Amino acid sequence: MSLGPTIYFNVRLLDPATGLDSIGALLTQDGIVVDYGPGLDKNSLPSKARMIDCTGLCLSPGFIDIRVHLREPGEEYKETIETAGQAAATGGVTAMVCLPNTQPPVDDVSVVEFIARRAREAKLVKVYTYGTVTRATEGEQLTEMGLLSEAGAVAFTDGTKAISNAMVMSRALSYASGFGLIIVQHPEEPFLAKDGVMNESEISTRLGLPGIPTAAEAIMLERDIRLVEMTGGRYHAAHISTADGVAIVRAAKNRGLSITCDTAPHYFALNENAIGDYRSFAKLSPPLRSEDDRLAVVSALADGTIDIIASDHSPQDQESKRLPFIQAECGAIGLETLLPLTLELVHNGELSLLAALEKITSKPATLFNLPGGKLQRGAPADIVLFDPNKPWVLREENFSSKSKNSPYDGRPVQGIVHETIVDGRSVFKFAP
Amino acid sequence: MESKRKAVKSPQNPPARAFPHKHLLGIEGLSPQEIQILLDLADSYVEQNRAENKKTDLLRGRTLINLFFENSTRTRTSFELAGKRLGGDTINMAVSTSSIKKGETLIDTAMTLNAMHPDILCVRHPHSGAVQLLAEKVNCSVVNGGDGTHEHPTQALLDAQTIRRRYGKIEGLSVAISGDVLHSRVARSNMCLLTTMGAKVRLVAPPTLLPTDVERYGVDIFHNLEDGISGCDIVMMLRLQTERMQGMYVPSIREYFRFYGLTKEKLNAANPDALVMHPGPMNRGVEIDSELADDIDRSLIREQVEMGVAVRMAVFEVLTRNKLNKAQ
């Protein structure tokens, strides 16, 4: 189906890749960005174009979320590729990279192809996948990273499981480097974290819950950094949550090592107090940390130590969450709250708008070698229109995700997605 | 045929000074001239081995012992044949199944053998450095038939001999060595020999199968087979041992073959007349495609086996002559 010309005008164009922040217009046709810019002359544009007045709105590259649990195949009762796609579209996410902890896990080419097929059928946002580093995420044997990568896997991780065996991690970094691939680690020393369900602190003592010390993150990061030095591999630490973790990554980056990291909104928008009286929706992995840790994460976002913000969208059904805190599953949904929570950093004066957007557009695209993430003539029109200032309240009943496990229910936020456009097609439109 | 061989290289040559070593423990430490002597001599033995009467009496009255701590039918047979064709008394000792199991140490074995007064010991051992240790404890000459992941000098010499006979030279050729370099003594000996003789050597392997700092051998490293063999004259494939395939070094056979297995199509990246070598035994469908391995126009694999006997005869000759010259 041919998509006629569409002009988004009177719009604040934001492109972190080039630093563009200016009122202008953008023209799409047949799913492609034909032209954009502050000086775009309306008179030179196609006269039959659909004209969309975007006064008061921002237009940026669609968001790229590098950490999403699709739950399909295997746990479709929690989320499917289609429902996750709807949630992503609602949140302005035009491309997502899904974690390989499915059932079966993404350790075989056939699963990569299955996900690609289901994404094509859903025809919502773009779906990429990680492959697992080890077979069945058992931490012992490497997967066929070359073949998985040829099939479409963009990077490798055991997802929610840390690669704990140092020899396996070393071989993984080394083997993947032959293909230029990134190994993404869940940086948590598994024996220290084994029985823990929340941050180890005065609060865990008070609640009588077993804690996970911040050292669990620091120890794994320190070890992995040594292995990166040894192998020359490419390493990305997922969802950094502690002040120590931030300091370790910062020091490694200063030494010129090939290390990057991300964090999730939970770790800068919440702290361990969100657990309150055993709220299992605030049970996350890694756990919510102290206020000092949260502030360190915010600073690391501001100084560039943390490269990316990923939603860490982890849908869980009622049966998995409505349990005693110790027994409840970890995770929170995040695709639909990614923008407003990221914008909190802007409204609090901690990051500029462009700097915040960079962490969910051009940075993930560049680091994971994904298309998109910037405004580009001739590139697919994956864009998002949003109002950065609109106040609203996050409500469980408004989420598109199949699961509703959000620790942000009832939270007032500022900034809302108006329209999400993938390949020139509108996949979400805000209906007030 | 004996006279023809002598015409190429007189029995008085080479003098002891030209090849001053008592043992052949590795390629490392050999000069280009010493390698040249061995290859020239081996050339003459190729002719002899193709003739009807293959025997000479150069080693008449001498005792050669093949002392193999590791199974290897083809190398052991090659050494045995080389010794017999030079008229020596050759015996084989498979040690792995006897003395070692009774608790005898390598030094004990050396002492026992020494008491039997052999002239040449050809030793294969699963541990790097074991052959050198043995050589320090015996009076006779020792030839390293492969020690651990260290060296396999006669294999490198026979490879060089094969290359030289096809191209008339080694200097200036571009040789890619591809596969499990980390565990390959053949690769180490070949890297030494080929770079010493002026060839340009590239290594092609996944990073998990390359030794640390291997580029210090003066070789170029590639992780993509087609890039690595691009413009090469020789593509030398190494055997991937099956126990390496599952998990820790390489994910699977199919992945290895897809990215590092040599096929006719991938060989197109090399020079149009590039030739393929393999020390054997081959894993067909793992490091090399069967069709290519059997292609007599591209594969030198059978020729390598032939050169093995000639090279080992040359090695026996220089080591024996050294002893003779010293005695004189």
Side-chain angles (χ1 to χ4, degrees), chain A residues 38-364:
Chain A
L40 203 58
D41 180 9
K42 266 200 223 174
N43 298 326
S44 67
L45 296 175
S47 55
K48 287 181 183 167
R50 198 160 60 101
M51 302 292 285
I52 298 175
D53 186 350
C54 302
T55 305
L57 296 182
C58 295
L59 184 154
S60 85
F63 309 142
I64 296 175
D65 190 347
I66 60 153
R67 197 169 178 86
V68 177
H69 285 274
L70 293 182
R71 304 292 187 214
E72 184 181 359
E75 292 178 300
E76 287 84 352
Y77 56 95
K78 293 182 177 178
E79 191 82 286
T80 64
I81 291 172
E82 180 156 9
T83 57
Q86 283 159 358
T90 309
V93 172
T94 55
M96 53 184 177
V97 188
C98 60
L99 287 159
N101 310 80
T102 45
Q103 294 168 14
V106 189
D107 63 358
D108 190 89
V109 167
S110 60
V111 189
V112 177
E113 287 168 351
F114 168 82
I115 291 168
R117 179 169 62 80
R118 297 286 292 123
R120 274 198 307 276
E121 287 166 3
K123 212 171 180 246
L124 285 156
V125 306
K126 291 172 179 172
V127 178
Y128 304 99
T129 183
Y130 290 102
T132 64
V133 175
T134 64
R135 288 187 201 167
T137 66
E138 283 172 353
E140 288 168 9
Q141 298 186 344
L142 298 185
T143 54
E144 295 165 321
M145 290 188 209
L147 293 172
L148 286 164
S149 152
E150 275 193 338
V154 296
F156 291 84
T157 179
D158 276 357
T160 49
K161 286 165 99 174
I163 301 156
S164 60
N165 181 322
M167 181 56 95
V168 171
M169 188 54 162
S170 147
R171 293 265 161 76
L173 284 164
S174 178
Y175 189 74
S177 73
F179 296 96
L181 295 166
I182 298 181
I183 299 292
V184 178
Q185 171 74 303
H186 171 74
E188 187 176 60
E189 208 300 308
F191 290 97
L192 279 175
K194 195 173 172 218
D195 298 318
V197 293
M198 67 169 294
N199 187 41
E200 186 174 275
S201 67
E202 179 265 330
I203 299 175
S204 68
T205 303
R206 188 168 52 78
L207 292 174
L209 293 173
I212 300 172
T214 55
E217 183 170 287
I219 287 168
M220 193 55 97
L221 282 170
E222 293 274 24
R223 184 205 76 172
D224 287 347
I225 285 162
R226 294 280 175 158
L227 295 175
V228 170
E229 277 184 293
M230 190 174 100
T231 58
R234 290 180 71 195
Y235 177 82
H236 180 88
H239 43 43
I240 293 289
S241 66
T242 66
D244 285 348
V246 160
I248 290 163
V249 172
R250 188 179 287 129
K253 282 187 163 192
N254 287 341
R255 275 158 54 212
L257 293 174
S258 177
I259 284 170
T260 51
C261 70
D262 68 72
T263 195
H266 325 311
Y267 306 109
F268 61 78
L270 299 171
N271 63 27
E272 59 189 337
N273 293 312
I275 291 173
D277 290 327
Y278 306 98
R279 275 189 77 212
S280 62
F281 278 12
K283 183 177 177 183
L284 304 167
S285 174
L288 293 172
R289 302 290 189 180
S290 71
E291 179 61 7
D292 285 346
D293 289 312
R294 187 191 75 81
L295 291 172
V297 169
V298 171
S299 300
L301 283 162
D303 71 15
T305 301
I306 297 177
D307 305 272
I308 293 171
I309 297 172
S311 77
D312 206 1
H313 180 78
S314 307
Q316 300 288 4
D317 64 334
Q318 295 262 349
E319 282 66 36
S320 307
K321 277 290 189 186
R322 296 224 183 278
L323 289 170
F325 195 88
I326 287 183
Q327 291 175 306
E329 293 281 353
C330 293
I333 56 167
L335 281 164
E336 293 158 84
T337 50
L338 180 64
L339 176 72
L341 294 172
T342 301
L343 288 177
E344 279 188 5
L345 297 164
V346 180
H347 297 308
N348 293 341
E350 283 143 350
L351 261 74
S352 71
L353 183 54
L354 276 181
L357 289 175
E358 183 187 36
K359 304 209 185 279
I360 51 175
T361 58
S362 58
K363 273 278 179 158

Side-chain angles (χ1 to χ4, degrees), chain A residues 369-396:
Chain A
N369 200 24
L370 301 170
K374 59 184 173 183
L375 297 181
Q376 200 176 7
R377 290 177 187 88
D382 295 348
I383 49 177
V384 57
L385 288 165
F386 63 93
D387 177 346
N389 300 314
K390 163 96 176 164
W392 60 300
V393 177
L394 298 174
R395 294 276 182 222
E396 182 190 299

